[in-house]
Each structure stands twice: as C-alpha cells, then as structure tokens.
Amino acid sequence: MHFNIVTTVFNGERFFNETLLSVVSQAGDFSIRYHVQDAGSTDGTLKLLEGWRKRFDEGFPISCRGIEFTYASEPDSGLYDGVNKGFAHCGPADVMTWINADDRFEQGAFGTVATILRNFPDIDWLTGRPTTITESGEFLYMAPVRAYPRKAIEAGIFEGRFAMPFIQQEGSFWRPRLWDKVGGLDAGFRLAGDFDLWRRFARETDLVSVDAIFGCFRLRDGQLSADRKSYYAEVDASLSPAEVKARAKASFMYKVRGYKYPVMTRHQGGPWVLECWPMSVLPFLGGRGFKLEHWRLQATGYLGLAD
C-alpha cells in the first residue's frame, strides 16, 4: 500500500514541523511519498524544507516501508491550485490526501486506512471522526461518528448552515481512481474547493465514516477558513437554482433523520466491519444516541445497505 500525501504551504514555519512529523512518523506496512508544495515563502519555510530533505537523505529513522520526501517552490493561484500542483509531482499511489501546514494526522491513521482499504476494495473514500485542536495543539473537540449520507453530500448541505458538521479534510482519504474520475480540485475556488470536491466525489460513491480519529484541524487566528462570509458566498455561487432547491430538500431530510449512511466500526476488538446505520432517532443524547441506536438496530437485525 502506497500513500501520496501533499502539503501546501506559504510562510508556514510555525507549525510545519509538527505537520511533517505527523506524516513521516506513521508506522505500518506501507510506503509514503510526501510532497510539500511551497507557494514562494519568505520566512524560514524553505530553510526548514531543505533541512528535512537532508535528514531524509542521511537516513532519518522511519517506521514504515519507505518515505520519499520532495518539495517544490513556485507561485500558485491559491490553495487548491497548489494541491493540484503537488499531486502532479507525485507518481502512482493506492491512497491519497492532502494536509495543510498547520494541521496534523494522528498516530495509527495510515495503518488503519491501509487495513480498511486492503480488506474492502469497493471502498474508495473514507473519513474519520472530526477532531479539532487548539493553536497550541491541545485537543478541543472530538466528535462522535458523523452521518454523511451520499445524497446529502451531493446536495451540498455540509457547510455549517444547513447541517452543522463539515466533512473534515484533514481526516479524509481516497483512492486515486476517484480523484482521476472527477478531475481533481477546481482551482477556481479560493475557500470552498474541498466542499466542491466532496460533492463531485459523492456523485460517484459513498463516503464511509470510520469510528477512529485520523486527523486534527487546528483552530488558530488568521486562518482562511475563519472567513465564513466569503466561504458561504463562494458556496452559494457554485450552485445552480435547481441545486439550491435540492439543498433545501436534503437539509430537511437530514433534520428529520431521513437517511442511512455507511460506517466502518469494530466490535470489542474484532475486525473492521462495514455497516449501514440509520440516523439516530435520539438526537438529544448526542454521540450516545448514535451508539444506542446502533446497538438497538443490530440486536433487531435492521442493519442493511446504505441509500
């Protein structure tokens, strides 16, 4: 199993070492191509990158089958153009994702993803439990398993207004065949490129929620994602009048628990299993409601195929 991981960075020296270490310290039976795409940093980022290149050339200790570390520095037209450029530098892979230069992966993430994708060849796209950390790296919030029904993703409700949970990019992985099928990121977006990518992914396949933490989003001052007004304007401009109506309908169905969704989970330390959970009818219990509803439905034999 081979991972292609891309990080885009511009003047990101403050958090970059933590991000990089969260990639190259992953342990397991897989290899990693880690490419950093710099947009022309003027702080110490390029010095850091060159220092890491030398460390890997000199035999930096790793715990996986191999790591190829590369970087390039060139102007781009924004984050998503940078991600596309980064992946263009990478070769063939089995799994791919990108992570921003202030976020991090959790230990065991790559091993878990590799195990699941080896055992479930029909799964093309999966995500972990949304997790947020503070600027200093402390855990701020770890969400329960989230419901991301395919029809609701395609309709575009996961952007904070029509349904609260976002699909966390820092904990999502996919197979290259899915990326190639949809044509990668639309570099015309400035803030909502991942929102657009998820909608196009959902036209092709289910997003499988995994009961595990894969990555952490760092909440900090000055980040682009804090500009919600511009983000929502970009989201709305990307939808046709017909898609706006479909979004409203999907939002209603989500609120009344009108969907089922696929979940990857383990029971008492057993193997990973793919199940279909209906949305919890006990929302006032929060995360406990999801678990209680799942246990009830498992006992009654309800669990079936996702919508």
Side-chain angles (χ1 to χ4, degrees):
M1 187 71 68
H2 181 72
F3 286 77
N4 277 351
I5 310 296
V6 165
T7 291
T8 58
V9 61
F10 178 71
N11 292 343
E13 64 176 339
R14 181 179 177 191
F15 300 109
F16 176 73
N17 283 335
E18 184 177 352
T19 299
L20 179 142
L21 286 169
S22 79
V23 176
V24 303
S25 63
Q26 296 287 323
D29 185 20
F30 49 80
S31 56
I32 301 170
R33 169 67 182 273
Y34 184 35
H35 179 80
V36 179
Q37 188 68 25
D38 178 76
S41 294
T42 56
D43 63 355
T45 298
L46 290 173
K47 184 177 180 180
L48 282 177
L49 290 171
E50 181 59 19
W52 278 108
R53 186 192 64 77
K54 290 180 179 178
R55 289 186 186 96
F56 285 110
D57 287 347
E58 293 168 0
F60 184 80
I62 61 174
S63 300
C64 63
R65 282 193 291 162
I67 294 176
E68 181 182 3
F69 175 75
T70 58
Y71 73 90
S73 184
E74 58 185 307
D76 60 44
S77 61
L79 167 64
Y80 305 111
D81 181 45
V83 174
N84 284 338
K85 287 178 183 291
F87 281 123
H89 283 279
C90 299
D94 301 295
V95 194
M96 60 191 298
T97 192
W98 83 88
I99 187 163
N100 295 325
D102 50 1
D103 300 321
R104 75 184 187 210
F105 292 112
E106 287 300 289
Q107 283 298 316
F110 290 20
T112 301
V113 169
T115 296
I116 291 172
L117 293 182
R118 283 193 191 103
N119 294 333
F120 296 85
D122 292 337
I123 293 178
D124 280 350
W125 179 29
L126 47 78
T127 193
R129 291 168 55 176
T131 304
T132 303
I133 57 177
T134 66
E135 192 159 339
S136 63
E138 298 175 24
F139 282 105
L140 186 63
Y141 176 68
M142 291 173 284
V145 174
R146 292 295 197 189
Y148 297 118
R150 180 175 173 180
K151 293 178 182 177
I153 299 171
E154 184 178 355
I157 73 169
F158 297 112
E159 39 86 288
R161 294 174 297 177
F162 297 88
M164 284 306 296
F166 288 80
I167 298 173
Q168 184 169 290
Q169 176 268 315
E170 298 77 21
S172 297
F173 296 80
W174 54 89
R175 297 187 195 268
R177 65 193 182 201
L178 181 59
W179 173 269
D180 293 340
K181 188 177 292 186
V182 305
L185 285 158
D186 183 342
F189 283 87
R190 176 175 171 267
L191 299 171
D194 50 349
F195 167 86
D196 173 72
L197 183 67
W198 307 150
R199 292 187 64 222
R200 289 184 284 123
F201 276 1
R203 292 170 190 154
E204 305 294 336
T205 191
D206 283 309
L207 171 59
V208 176
S209 294
V210 182
D211 192 6
I213 297 172
F214 291 154
C216 300
F217 170 74
R218 189 186 303 271
L219 197 63
R220 62 174 181 83
D221 290 337
Q223 58 196 162
L224 285 175
S225 57
D227 186 0
R228 289 292 183 88
K229 183 178 179 180
S230 296
Y231 173 80
Y232 290 140
E234 193 170 78
V235 165
D236 292 343
S238 73
L239 302 178
S240 68
E243 288 173 326
V244 169
K245 291 182 180 179
R247 180 177 62 180
K249 181 179 178 181
S251 175
F252 172 78
M253 292 293 290
Y254 192 83
K255 289 174 182 175
V256 299
R257 271 60 182 169
Y259 291 109
K260 293 180 290 181
Y261 60 103
V263 173
M264 186 68 63
T265 189
R266 278 176 154 164
H267 298 289
Q268 298 180 344
W272 287 104
V273 292
L274 180 62
E275 300 175 342
C276 176
W277 292 11
M279 292 184 65
S280 176
V281 297
L282 302 170
F284 60 91
L285 291 176
R288 289 178 297 166
F290 282 90
K291 287 290 188 182
L292 289 171
E293 184 68 0
H294 172 255
W295 290 333
R296 182 184 72 80
L297 292 165
Q298 184 183 41
T300 57
Y302 180 89
L303 297 175
L305 297 176
D307 287 340

